[in-house]
Amino acid sequence: MKILSTVSLLCLLFGATHTLAQKKKPNVLIILADDVGTGDVPGYWNNEIVDMPNLRALQEKGVTFMNAHSTPLCAPSRYSLLSGNYPHRGEGQFGTWDFKEGHNQFLDMQQSIAEMLKMNDESWHTSMFGKWHIGGKVPGTYSNQTYSLSCCDNDWSQPMGQGPNEIGFDESFYTMGGIQSAPYSFFRNGYLTTKEDDITMWEVGNYTKENGVSIINKPGEGDPSWDSSDYNMKLVKEAYTFLVGHVADRSEDPFFMYFALGQVHVPHSPPFEYLDGTKIAGRYEDPHLDLLFEMDLVIGSLMTKLEETNLMKDTIVIFCSDNGGLDMGYPNRVLRDKKSSIYEGGHRVPFVVRYDDVVPAGEVRDEHYISLVDVYATIAEFTGSRIDQYSAQDSKSFAEYAKSASNTAGLRKYLHTWSRQKIYPTPDKHEIVRAESIHFGDLKYIRYLAPHEKEELYNLKTDIGETTNLLEISPDKYRKLRNKLRNNLRQEGSCPMDKAKSKLRNGKKRGQVVNCNWFEQDPQRRCRWQRITGEKRCNSICGRYRWWCRFYNPDLKEPRQAYVDL
């Protein structure tokens, strides 16, 4: 038997380790639907209102999560998905929606999924296509949404600020608000694709185009060729170009694509035909259903292109929606309420993960809940990436749970949701309803904060429709549990109670135990760079929403003077 020399053995070991370290990471594709609820798609409540063979195929080749949740509205959900944070950890308590004076929803120290991947490995090739909707800055002086293109001193020879390319995306093609609001123009890598001399004012109305009827529900500026019916197909073509180019130029690198559909958000304007000539408009009795059918065709297009480019085997595909569905009056709507609501119909969403040879095919996960905010940590675990200490504070990985239903370690014990809903009690008057909820096992506690406080508790295992408020039937029986859930929800929200001692979660003194006086000595600096710890543990000093907390939480125990408008 031949004896290997020490040098030879070291070379073999180094070579094996080097090969393992250089193994290509999996690609990641997130397909985010807009306003699609579990009642709109197959696989959840025995609904077959629209034929969706491509989504069915995705479910058959992956894992379907029956208990997945989002924030009830799109802008905060998109931030939570990309940041791994609850919405109030960002720039605005309820999200940043359109152009603002200076910032998108991300705080300076927070990394997006794209930035996190690149921090770990610079070879990642990242792209974003579709509806952005987490804010940005015009290259000039912001005026208002309707005239955001031609107003003031805007210089569109410069890129907009705080867009996808500034938070880790190499390539992007997007609109600020999908198809729902101005500007009705695309941006490519931050640059407006419309020539300044061609900027058009679109009034409310229907406009017949070559392959559909474009609908404008809100007046605003945009491109003269704007066509809401063509939106999703434009995105598919961009995704094709990206994938083909990736294989040609960067086949050894992993890619991350965030593909955010514009529909089925209103206005419902399906194209006459899809890219391959398949009839869409008029296929069903309602344009909303036509668009659900088109969504399935989009899923099929992306899966087919992954197969054609030999990328499917090494790609993690996640399909989900930004919030619950619309109230269209269709049968088999099991859940209560709709998009924007704190009830299950507002935030329970379809969610499918496919990862060939890693995630099993055709399985269902229904015992434990997951959230869009958990996608961040899950992708990090699947790709072997480290998360920066200032990022993804609320994200919990479900990667192992996706692999096997028996792998439940590390899953979230509680699921928190916040809602800010505008309702119209009369046609000419609206009011803001603020509510929050927490899931714990089969139970769900809801607290309305405004305009009138009330509390509800439901057993979702026996009452998925949230029809029987247990706090009305047996208030004494559930009082301790109610207090426990209310306190937990409060501590994770934007109005936590001060803690006597806190362990710093980030910064140079990470792990050090301090009290609130430590922040008070230099609140400007310490609250900024220890923001997560400060806001969660010493709200009376570091909380950005103290004025809101005082107004909507009259039961606060801290000194009243601590809650002043910042």
Side-chain angles (χ1 to χ4, degrees):
M1 184 169 115
K2 185 174 180 181
I3 305 297
L4 291 173
S5 68
T6 302
V7 174
S8 299
L9 185 58
L10 287 173
C11 288
L12 284 173
L13 287 173
F14 175 80
T17 304
H18 183 71
T19 300
L20 183 62
Q22 293 300 312
K23 183 180 179 182
K24 182 178 179 294
K25 296 180 183 296
N27 309 305
V28 180
L29 167 61
I30 297 177
I31 306 172
L32 184 68
D34 196 341
D35 290 359
V36 174
T38 54
D40 295 317
V41 298
Y44 285 86
W45 315 111
N46 297 317
N47 280 359
E48 297 293 343
I49 56 176
V50 172
D51 186 29
M52 295 188 180
N54 296 300
L55 180 55
R56 277 288 194 190
L58 190 66
Q59 293 171 328
E60 290 167 1
K61 295 177 181 178
V63 170
T64 300
F65 291 82
M66 304 296 290
N67 209 347
H69 298 263
S70 67
T71 297
L73 283 173
C74 50
S77 270
R78 289 160 198 272
Y79 165 75
S80 290
L81 172 69
L82 290 175
S83 72
N85 294 315
Y86 288 136
H88 50 270
R89 309 270 189 248
E91 184 74 12
Q93 187 178 2
F94 295 103
T96 303
W97 297 71
D98 302 295
F99 281 128
K100 299 294 180 185
E101 290 291 346
H103 221 286
N104 62 27
Q105 180 66 357
F106 277 80
L107 299 181
D108 291 339
M109 72 283 283
Q110 296 171 345
Q111 292 183 339
S112 70
I113 293 177
E115 288 176 301
M116 177 267 293
L117 293 173
K118 283 178 166 291
M119 176 190 71
N120 283 269
D121 186 342
E122 293 181 353
S123 69
W124 277 92
H125 189 194
T126 57
S127 62
M128 183 274 156
F129 303 117
K131 181 177 179 177
W132 182 234
H133 221 205
I134 60 171
K137 183 184 185 304
V138 298
T141 304
Y142 177 75
S143 174
N144 61 58
Q145 191 174 353
T146 305
Y147 299 100
S148 58
L149 297 185
S150 65
C151 176
C152 314
D153 59 350
N154 295 341
D155 179 8
W156 290 109
S157 66
Q158 301 298 315
M160 64 167 274
Q162 298 290 310
N165 298 79
E166 292 193 33
I167 60 168
F169 291 99
D170 299 322
E171 302 179 33
S172 64
F173 184 76
Y174 61 95
T175 57
M176 291 297 292
I179 59 172
Q180 72 199 67
S181 58
Y184 299 111
S185 296
F186 281 94
F187 293 81
R188 185 180 298 280
N189 299 329
Y191 287 90
L192 181 67
T193 59
T194 305
K195 295 180 180 179
E196 291 193 58
D197 291 342
D198 294 336
I199 292 173
T200 299
M201 182 64 190
W202 284 103
E203 301 294 346
V204 173
N206 295 356
Y207 300 86
T208 301
K209 300 288 184 172
E210 182 179 351
N211 190 35
V213 177
S214 180
I215 300 177
I216 301 292
N217 280 347
K218 299 176 183 178
E221 294 178 330
D223 194 276
S225 65
W226 175 260
D227 182 359
S228 63
S229 69
D230 192 43
Y231 191 88
N232 290 330
M233 293 189 291
K234 272 189 169 70
L235 303 184
V236 170
K237 293 174 184 176
E238 293 291 329
Y240 280 3
T241 300
F242 173 83
L243 292 173
V244 171
H246 177 81
V247 171
D249 302 329
R250 301 183 59 173
S251 60
E252 298 303 311
D253 297 335
F255 76 77
F256 168 50
M257 182 191 295
Y258 171 47
F259 188 95
L261 289 158
Q263 298 161 326
V264 298
H265 197 289
V266 294
H268 292 152
S269 52
F272 299 145
E273 294 181 348
Y274 192 61
L275 295 169
D276 61 358
T278 301
K279 179 183 176 181
I280 298 180
R283 190 179 190 92
Y284 293 91
E285 66 273 16
D286 191 289
H288 176 257
L289 301 181
D290 292 338
L291 288 172
L292 287 171
F293 178 71
E294 186 200 21
M295 179 189 75
D296 188 73
L297 295 178
V298 170
I299 294 171
S301 293
L302 296 174
M303 296 305 100
T304 298
K305 186 56 67 173
L306 289 175
E307 296 284 1
E308 291 176 352
T309 50
N310 295 317
L311 293 168
M312 188 72 255
K313 189 171 79 71
D314 298 317
T315 300
I316 303 165
V317 178
I318 297 175
F319 169 79
C320 52
S321 178
D322 61 346
N323 46 244
L326 304 172
D327 184 9
M328 304 301 294
Y330 304 132
N332 299 324
R333 290 302 179 98
V334 176
L335 304 181
R336 179 175 175 176
D337 226 326
K338 58 182 179 179
K339 165 189 176 177
S340 81
S341 169
I342 199 65
Y343 296 109
E344 293 292 288
H347 56 81
R348 187 179 288 232
V349 295
F351 200 105
V352 183
V353 176
R354 176 182 174 183
Y355 186 8
D356 294 357
D357 300 327
V358 176
V359 169
E363 291 192 2
V364 171
R365 303 282 182 269
D366 56 5
E367 288 297 317
H368 298 274
Y369 30 76
I370 65 170
S371 170
L372 257 63
V373 79
D374 298 329
V375 170
Y376 195 114
T378 302
I379 289 177
E381 183 169 348
F382 272 136
T383 60
S385 302
R386 179 181 64 86
I387 298 174
D388 179 77
Q389 62 174 320
Y390 291 105
S391 300
Q393 300 294 328
D394 304 301
S395 190
K396 295 184 180 298
S397 173
F398 56 85
E400 292 302 314
Y401 182 52
K403 295 176 185 177
S404 173
S406 62
N407 295 339
T408 58
L411 294 179
R412 56 173 60 250
K413 186 177 180 181
Y414 302 97
L415 175 72
H416 310 86
T417 306
W418 290 268
S419 170
R420 181 180 183 272
Q421 179 180 6
K422 183 185 289 187
I423 64 172
Y424 290 84
T426 62
D428 59 343
K429 180 182 178 182
H430 75 267
E431 61 185 17
I432 301 297
V433 176
R434 291 181 171 92
E436 55 190 13
S437 71
I438 179 172
H439 289 68
F440 174 63
D442 296 327
L443 296 173
K444 178 182 178 182
Y445 167 76
I446 296 173
R447 182 189 180 200
Y448 280 90
L449 302 173
H452 306 292
E453 185 172 355
K454 64 176 180 177
E455 298 175 294
E456 300 170 3
L457 182 69
Y458 299 101
N459 186 327
L460 298 181
K461 188 170 186 177
T462 58
D463 182 23
I464 191 65
E466 297 169 283
T467 60
T468 304
N469 183 3
L470 300 177
L471 292 180
E472 289 184 351
I473 297 175
S474 306
D476 292 337
K477 178 180 178 180
Y478 293 103
R479 181 171 288 110
K480 287 185 177 179
L481 176 63
R482 167 261 191 199
N483 291 341
K484 173 184 176 180
L485 296 181
R486 176 169 169 154
N487 289 339
N488 183 287
L489 181 60
R490 171 71 178 280
Q491 204 57 46
E492 292 301 320
S494 54
C495 301
M497 305 293 285
D498 281 358
K499 294 286 186 180
K501 293 182 179 179
S502 303
K503 181 182 290 186
L504 299 179
R505 296 178 60 181
N506 40 39
K508 293 181 179 179
K509 296 184 181 295
R510 187 178 184 183
Q512 178 179 328
V513 176
V514 301
N515 58 31
C516 290
N517 291 335
W518 184 84
F519 291 94
E520 200 165 23
Q521 293 166 19
D522 188 3
Q524 248 188 334
R525 180 171 177 272
R526 287 178 174 173
C527 288
R528 177 172 175 79
W529 295 108
Q530 307 290 346
R531 188 184 295 276
I532 300 301
T533 303
E535 288 196 338
K536 291 189 68 173
R537 303 303 181 196
C538 297
N539 184 47
S540 63
I541 296 168
C542 294
R544 289 173 294 156
Y545 308 117
R546 284 175 279 170
W547 62 273
W548 186 90
C549 298
R550 182 177 65 177
F551 186 76
Y552 286 108
N553 289 273
D555 62 329
L556 288 175
K557 305 303 181 186
E558 291 94 334
R560 181 181 178 90
Q561 62 267 24
Y563 289 82
V564 295
D565 193 340
L566 299 180

